[in-house]
Amino acid sequence: MAELHDLTALEQAEGIRSGELSPVELTEHYLTRIDRLDDTLGAFLTRTPEIARKQAADAESEAAAARREGRELPVLHGVPVPVKDLNQVAGVRCTMGSRALAAYVPAVDDHVVGKLRAAGTVLLGKTNTPEFGLPCYTENGLAPAARTPWDLERSAGGSSGGAGAAVAGGLAPVAHASDGGGSIRIPASVCGLYGIKPSRGRISGGPLLHDVTGLSTSGPLARTVADAAALLDVLAGEMPGDPYTAPPLPPGETFAAHARRDPGRLRIACLSDAPIPGIAVDPDCRAATAEAAALLTALGHEVEEVTLPADDGILHAFTRVWSVMAANRPVPPEGEELLMPLTRYLRGRGAAVSGKDFAGALYAFRALAQTVADGLMPPGGYDAILSPTLAGPPLPVGALRNDADPQAEFAAIGAYTPFTALYNATGQPAVSVPLHWNAAGLPIGVMLGGRYGAEATLISLSAQLERARPWAGRKPSVW
């Protein structure tokens, strides 16, 4: 017999609208699963059962009133959606994965949280993240490591590892996540989920923690394309003060609607080799990409193998900007000694970057975006770029962490994630699609990048792949 967490987020929302499902019952179901499984999965840094129960009761009352009055409800009304602990929820501690901020309680919501409140969603808690979201694993000094439910000895990735563990483990139907160098797509790949890194400016980062570099954005993690698209609709939209804004959808259009549309015949570039010198791509990741290319071809798309010149210039630029972002994280003076070695290393490196070098690194990002727009993806060029999401399968917990040599750790992180940061640098949207599991039963994601502002195309294409080779029925043993 199916349980409540077997339902997709949209199925749950439909049950709430019709009165067949109670938000209170649904919330209690997830709170019970969190109590039972979270110590193993490491999905949450802070649980908020009191808030969740109050919001669920309010959602139930509002749903009943809407049925009486014949009113429409927001698409995910009454559905639980946890928030990554890099974002602020008023009155709930926001650690950013750091012992230095373990007692910090913000007084205001980030805009994404305000949008989730307005949509009638339910906050189960704040999901686990590494310190300031800096590495691509989720291990810190505050909570158990986030683990992929497909193999509890292996990492759920990062920096949205807690969000990935929650959704893949059935502790939440969908989750808010964020991505500055791959942090939505990495957990999606290693947890067997679908994740969207939206276009720069699609989702507001304000009001307090705007990323003026343009690298980072919030986005959805989900089991299905339709659920992710629906959550993107909730989160999207510019707010006053945003430094970037993405082209809006036409009036009346939604991303959820594009999950129900055929993408048409597309030209797709296939990139199998890492665009950084000296990076080896695991055979499992190559196999996943080759299978995806074959499936796309069978669906009628034109797929062409391409090779980008291996160049570590963007890696150096990304390292400079990433280090400056680390240096700018708000740490009280007494908290510096509590920081992890990688954080201290990056903060020291960032403090040494000159204004000229920082500006040069940002200019390199813009030049790369122009090169892609003009050379690969102009009108009439490629509509999407297929590649591995990662250079390897899910790694054991602790495999990348190197407290004794954080410089070597950062290099290892870059070697594991050579494909993802491209789209943070250019601002283009990208998705990780869970089409492949290897012989060991581990999920291996493939990535699709699109033109700036063209999330709708990626969503339609992903949904077509999902219909051809459904994945949501595959569930780990903890399910």
Side-chain angles (χ1 to χ4, degrees), residues 335-421:
E336 290 285 345
E337 64 183 21
L338 298 176
L339 298 177
M340 298 182 73
L342 177 66
T343 305
R344 291 199 299 270
Y345 163 74
L346 289 172
R347 285 169 70 83
R349 187 165 180 167
V353 174
S354 70
K356 181 175 181 293
D357 286 344
F358 182 61
L362 294 177
Y363 180 79
F365 292 169
R366 305 303 177 259
L368 175 64
Q370 196 67 56
T371 298
V372 172
D374 292 341
L376 278 177
M377 310 187 85
Y382 294 112
D383 301 291
I385 301 172
L386 169 69
S387 74
T389 303
L390 298 170
L395 293 173
V397 170
L400 288 173
R401 185 171 170 180
N402 187 347
D403 289 351
D405 190 347
Q407 183 174 357
E409 175 181 328
F410 195 65
I413 289 170
Y416 185 58
T417 61
F419 298 96
T420 53

Side-chain angles (χ1 to χ4, degrees), residues 121-406:
T121 66
V122 174
L123 179 71
L124 297 171
K126 303 292 294 299
T127 55
N128 203 357
T129 184
E131 192 162 63
F132 302 129
L134 295 173
C136 66
Y137 57 79
T138 301
E139 302 164 31
N140 54 49
L142 293 169
R147 299 169 184 269
T148 176
W150 296 94
D151 181 345
L152 294 175
E153 297 300 314
R154 296 178 185 266
S155 172
S159 63
S160 305
V167 177
L171 306 189
V174 290
H176 161 270
S178 61
D179 190 316
S183 294
I184 290 173
R185 293 156 290 157
I186 296 163
S189 180
V190 301
C191 292
L193 300 174
Y194 181 72
I196 304 174
K197 196 249 5 141
S199 295
R200 179 177 294 146
R202 177 68 66 199
I203 297 173
S204 175
L208 297 179
L209 297 174
H210 291 289
D211 175 11
V212 296
T213 70
L215 288 179
S216 298
T217 178
S218 289
L221 271 170
R223 287 192 291 132
T224 71
V225 175
D227 281 358
L231 183 52
L232 181 58
D233 282 323
V234 168
L235 298 173
E238 64 182 282
M239 298 292 287
D242 286 352
Y244 307 101
T245 56
L249 290 173
E253 290 280 355
T254 65
F255 291 112
H258 282 275
R260 301 187 293 271
R261 294 181 187 170
D262 189 279
R265 188 172 190 267
L266 303 177
R267 287 191 68 203
I268 300 170
C270 181
L271 176 65
S272 299
D273 294 323
I276 299 172
I279 302 298
V281 178
D282 188 272
D284 283 340
C285 300
R286 289 186 179 277
T289 305
E291 288 182 11
L295 179 57
L296 288 164
T297 300
L299 291 169
H301 302 291
E302 180 184 352
V303 181
E304 300 176 13
E305 189 74 31
V306 300
T307 302
L308 297 181
D311 179 9
D312 58 6
I314 290 298
L315 176 62
H316 292 315
F318 184 88
T319 300
R320 290 190 189 99
V321 174
W322 202 245
S323 299
V324 171
M325 290 171 65
N328 282 337
R329 286 295 188 178
V331 178
E334 66 275 12
E336 290 285 345
E337 64 183 21
L338 298 176
L339 298 177
M340 298 182 73
L342 177 66
T343 305
R344 291 199 299 270
Y345 163 74
L346 289 172
R347 285 169 70 83
R349 187 165 180 167
V353 174
S354 70
K356 181 175 181 293
D357 286 344
F358 182 61
L362 294 177
Y363 180 79
F365 292 169
R366 305 303 177 259
L368 175 64
Q370 196 67 56
T371 298
V372 172
D374 292 341
L376 278 177
M377 310 187 85
Y382 294 112
D383 301 291
I385 301 172
L386 169 69
S387 74
T389 303
L390 298 170
L395 293 173
V397 170
L400 288 173
R401 185 171 170 180
N402 187 347
D403 289 351
D405 190 347

